[in-house]
Amino acid sequence: MLQHNLNQELEWFEAIIHSIHDGVLVIDREEIVRLINPEYTRITGVRPEVILGQPQRSVRPGAQLVDTLRD
């Protein structure tokens, strides 16, 4: 039951992220890109298959997200 609720929460979270009209990129503690929304792709031109599952620094070397989160 707990796993089912967790899956529902994850689907709900992803639906919200995908409906936002700003570019959104989500990384985990290991700096791996876990989620981007369509607006992020439109703004940056970076397609999901190129960036998802990759360390952010390897696909976006100039990005400051990781440093910002550490501060």
Side-chain angles (χ1 to χ4, degrees):
M1 184 65 147
L2 181 61
Q3 184 65 35
H4 178 69
N5 288 340
L6 183 58
N7 288 339
Q8 284 180 327
E9 294 292 321
L10 207 55
E11 288 175 15
W12 177 77
F13 173 74
E14 286 186 16
I16 290 171
I17 296 299
H18 285 286
S19 67
I20 295 174
H21 295 289
D22 294 313
V24 177
L25 176 138
V26 178
I27 62 172
D28 65 15
R29 291 176 190 247
E30 285 78 40
E31 304 174 9
I32 304 297
V33 178
R34 295 299 174 192
L35 180 67
I36 62 172
N37 68 349
E39 193 65 15
Y40 180 88
T41 298
R42 189 188 71 72
I43 292 167
T44 65
V46 177
R47 297 181 326 273
E49 60 270 13
V50 172
I51 196 170
L52 292 177
Q54 301 297 316
Q56 186 199 18
R57 291 183 196 263
S58 71
V59 289
R60 303 284 299 182
Q64 298 177 3
L65 177 61
V66 173
D67 296 328
T68 300
L69 292 175
R70 284 197 180 131
D71 288 343

